Amino acid sequence: MQFEFQRHIGARSPVTDAATFRVERLIDTAARNAPADLSHLIDSSYEYHSPRELRWHLATRFNLSPRAVRLSEAA
């Protein structure tokens, strides 16, 4: 699956002291007719530490291998 996400700046992680982000929008760009907004299928309050972590969460959510998930960030 091919996803595009729009980042919403989050807080600093109390564990790693690194910047985190929340996903504002998640789009399935490989949908058949038109890009599909899948934002409602994930927890928008979760603070991700990296796009890699988001990719793993999407793979788990959609029962896919992480290698099957393609992820890009909206400009």
Side-chain angles (χ1 to χ4, degrees), residues 1 3 55-56 58-60 62-70:
M1 290 186 85
F3 297 99
R55 194 177 106 221
W56 279 82
L58 292 173
T60 301
F62 293 103
N63 198 28
L64 300 167
S65 161
R67 290 182 178 177
V69 176
R70 301 284 176 249

Side-chain angles (χ1 to χ4, degrees), residues 35-51:
D37 188 344
L38 302 178
S39 304
H40 63 284
L41 297 178
I42 62 170
D43 181 358
S44 62
S45 66
Y46 185 84
E47 301 283 342
Y48 291 97
H49 289 83
S50 68

Side-chain angles (χ1 to χ4, degrees), residues 8 10 14-16 22 26 34 39 47 49 53 59 65 68 71:
H8 181 78
V15 176
T16 63
R22 287 180 273 137
L26 180 68
S39 304
E47 301 283 342
H49 289 83
E53 181 184 14
S65 161
L71 190 62

